[in-house]
Amino acid sequence: MRSLIFPGEEAQSARHAPCTYCENGRVFSSAVGMLDTERGGVVPLEGPWVPRIGEQVVGTVTDSKNHVYTVDLSYYCRALIIGSRYDRESMEIGDVIEATIKNIEDGGVIILSYPKMLLGGVLVNIKPAKVPRVIGKEDTMVRQIESLTRTRMVVGRNGTAWIKGKPQDTELAICAISLIERKAHQQGLTEAVKVMLENESRNKKGE
Amino acid sequence: MGSSLNKPELIKDGKRLDGRAFDELRPLKIEAGVLKNADGSAYLEWGNNKVLAAVYGPREAMPKHMTDPTKGIVKCRYSMAPFSGIDDHGRSGPNRRSTEISKVAKEAFENVILLNDYPSGMIEIFMEILQSDGGTRAAGITAASVALANAGIHMKDMMYAVSAGRIDEHIVLDVNMIEDNYSDADMPMVIAPRNNDVLLLQMDGGLDKGQFDQAVKMVLEAGKKIHEVQKRALEDYYNMREGK
């Protein structure tokens, strides 16, 4: 059973769980969220993205100089990809990429690695607090939306998603994302999204 | 400030001018998430006080030289609308009083926000007093605390503020404008309720030790109610949004 928890209230969870802090051996919540008693930890209802090493992100290249690329992740700190002149392909300003956070330096500068170009498609902003639900447990939600809408989707933890497909399919995928955003903290969301997408595609076929 | 020469009778038949008991709060109402463009916001009505608080951030720290690469910084602005007061607050914009309140509020917020989570960032807190009737700094900080929680900024605790005062030998809670002007002491406090940590304590006038203890006790007791109202405001907002 999940219940609402407020900053400063004791959270029965492991140390270093997201949205918690530890004091005198006790763990407290640091945000308004749902206390997840099954898995332990606080699932925030709102809040900015706090980058962590290893996370996948999606962004746009905004500057390139001597094989160092600046990437806009809709975040207040700079994100860089440090390439080398031996790289087979170089990126250009305006390119959309997905990458993994390799390191977070002093001052919050994010160093990205393994950039992959995302060609075509559209970018959609998602509230960072809702991203885990859009991705789902072991990517189940993303895979479901992809298969039901026949699109390709990459969801970055920074709250930017890239969707590629036919315009009407992309629109459907965006509808699914906004449904998840609205009902992120309700149970049985995967089923609700499935029903919505199936109904919509049936309606489209009927037309 | 009022003069002691024309001091009105603030206590009549064991009750205060507005009919409250000594340890009674004015009616308090908070609504969270009222501004669409802000990351977090709250509207508060506390007696005749009306306050709008908004939080933005974390965003890039400005001016640049203020940037701290190890942690975020807090910017705080308390301001009274030109139409807010009975007395002349005729000019908007910063003045001596609002600069002081902005500073002390900022220092109180710095103690609860987990600034290490936002290196090189800046969190901006705005408290706009739309209508004032004494105790506006307490009202502003209480509202801003809800706005911070609404913005999802990581913080150790959701603090509240309330003032206590002394009228003759009586200790009273939550002084209003007229009591503030003519009272013998006025003491706003900001408390982090988890450990009852005192984050701000200012005093205008004088209290002896016994009176001070009584005032603190009154503040802590009333704080439980204020904290409940803060939590309910957030609860209502999220329940409504999630469509429950």
Side-chain angles (χ1 to χ4, degrees):
Chain A
M1 189 60 204
R2 293 158 135 207
S3 57
L4 211 57
I5 190 166
F6 295 93
E9 289 184 348
E10 191 157 5
Q12 303 293 339
S13 76
R15 284 180 184 211
H16 309 302
C19 292
T20 59
Y21 68 96
C22 191
E23 210 173 87
N24 300 331
R26 288 162 71 198
V27 180
F28 300 93
S29 170
S30 66
V32 185
M34 311 294 269
L35 183 61
D36 194 342
T37 42
E38 289 161 28
R39 278 179 288 174
V42 175
V43 184
L45 288 172
E46 204 89 50
W49 173 54
V50 179
R52 288 194 175 79
I53 292 170
E55 281 181 340
Q56 192 187 38
V57 292
V58 173
T60 315
V61 177
T62 54
D63 195 14
S64 105
K65 211 177 260 176
N66 301 331
H67 300 280
V68 176
Y69 304 96
T70 310
V71 183
D72 175 21
L73 296 179
S74 311
Y75 184 62
Y76 67 89
C77 286
R78 278 199 311 163
L80 302 175
I81 298 172
I82 299 166
S84 93
R85 61 190 164 126
Y86 301 111
D87 284 348
R88 237 182 269 164
E89 52 182 286
S90 64
M91 289 174 281
E92 279 172 28
I93 293 171
D95 284 349
V96 177
I97 53 125
E98 68 164 303
T100 310
I101 298 180
K102 184 182 170 192
N103 196 13
I104 300 163
E105 296 199 335
D106 288 349
V109 178
I110 298 169
I111 306 295
L112 300 172
S113 61
Y114 309 119
K116 258 187 256 167
M117 297 264 261
L118 300 171
L119 300 170
V122 292
L123 289 179
V124 181
N125 286 331
I126 307 172
K127 280 188 180 173
K130 312 289 183 195
V131 168
R133 283 314 295 265
V134 176
I135 294 173
K137 256 186 223 167
E138 292 164 3
D139 296 357
T140 42
M141 190 69 91
V142 177
R143 298 289 154 261
Q144 177 179 279
I145 298 172
E146 275 186 331
S147 64
L148 289 173
T149 59
R150 296 173 299 279
T151 51
R152 242 204 91 206
M153 242 172 103
V154 179
V155 182
R157 290 274 167 180
N158 56 330
T160 307
W162 173 84
I163 307 170
K164 189 179 182 181
K166 287 181 190 158
Q168 63 268 33
D169 295 337
T170 309
E171 206 178 304
L172 209 55
I174 294 171
C175 283
I177 290 175
S178 62
L179 178 82
I180 299 167
E181 274 197 302
R182 267 183 285 126
K183 302 192 169 181
H185 297 281
Q186 290 181 9
Q187 296 195 336
L189 194 58
T190 318
E191 196 54 35
V193 171
K194 193 177 172 189
V195 170
M196 189 278 269
L197 287 175
E198 281 172 351
N199 283 347
E200 286 287 326
S201 47
R202 214 173 295 143
N203 289 348
K204 288 253 162 73
K205 271 179 199 165
E207 281 168 13
Chain B
M1 287 296 281
S3 141
S4 58
L5 292 173
N6 56 1
K7 180 176 172 178
E9 201 180 350
L10 293 173
I11 293 174
K12 230 178 195 175
D13 308 327
K15 294 254 175 176
R16 290 149 76 178
L17 275 184
D18 51 7
R20 280 186 292 154
F22 296 148
D23 60 349
E24 195 178 335
L25 287 168
R26 286 173 283 179
L28 173 63
K29 195 185 96 182
I30 309 178
E31 204 180 321
V34 288
L35 301 176
K36 194 168 170 281
N37 288 350
D39 294 318
S41 60
Y43 171 69
L44 171 145
E45 281 184 19
W46 195 337
N48 290 329
N49 287 320
K50 292 184 180 179
V51 181
L52 201 52
V55 169
Y56 290 83
R59 40 165 74 161
E60 200 179 348
M62 282 289 174
K64 276 274 186 205
H65 69 86
M66 301 273 283
T67 308
D68 186 338
T70 58
K71 62 183 174 65
I73 58 167
V74 178
K75 250 190 179 181
C76 199
R77 193 184 106 129
Y78 164 100
S79 126
M80 277 183 126
F83 48 80
S84 66
I86 305 163
D87 290 331
D88 56 334
H89 282 289
R91 265 174 358 132
S92 63
N95 56 27
R96 218 177 124 111
R97 181 173 171 275
S98 66
T99 308
E100 175 228 321
I101 297 176
S102 303
K103 180 186 181 290
V104 294
K106 174 191 151 196
E107 284 166 7
F109 284 118
E110 278 174 344
N111 281 298
V112 288
I113 300 175
L114 295 170
L115 291 168
N116 290 335
D117 283 353
Y118 310 112
S120 301
M122 169 177 76
I123 291 152
E124 283 182 298
I125 304 167
F126 297 91
M127 297 175 274
E128 195 70 31
I129 312 298
L130 305 176
Q131 184 171 290
S132 74
D133 185 27
T136 52
R137 75 189 69 194
I141 290 171
T142 305
S145 201
V146 175
L148 272 172
N150 181 227
I153 303 292
H154 293 176
M155 53 184 183
K156 284 187 189 169
D157 213 341
M158 204 159 69
M159 60 197 197
Y160 64 83
V162 66
S163 60
R166 177 169 68 86
I167 300 171
D168 302 327
E169 73 283 8
H170 302 288
I171 299 297
V172 292
L173 185 76
D174 187 18
V175 288
N176 63 20
M177 178 75 88
I178 189 143
E179 288 171 335
D180 186 17
N181 286 353
Y182 293 100
S183 66
D184 303 287
D186 169 33
M187 183 176 76
M189 283 179 87
V190 177
I191 308 281
R194 184 164 61 81
N195 292 334
N196 285 338
D197 292 331
V198 178
L199 302 179
L200 166 70
L201 192 150
Q202 294 182 298
M203 187 158 24
D204 185 8
L207 294 172
D208 64 31
K209 192 175 178 301
Q211 288 167 336
F212 177 81
D213 288 343
Q214 197 189 339
V216 172
K217 205 174 149 196
M218 248 183 207
V219 165
L220 294 181
E221 200 50 48
K224 290 177 192 160
K225 286 180 204 154
I226 302 167
H227 195 57
E228 274 310 309
V229 177
Q230 287 179 312
K231 290 203 283 193
R232 212 180 323 126
L234 289 163
E235 229 168 61
D236 289 347
Y237 170 72
Y238 289 116
N239 282 344
M240 200 180 70
R241 204 186 64 176
E242 310 288 332
K244 279 181 195 165

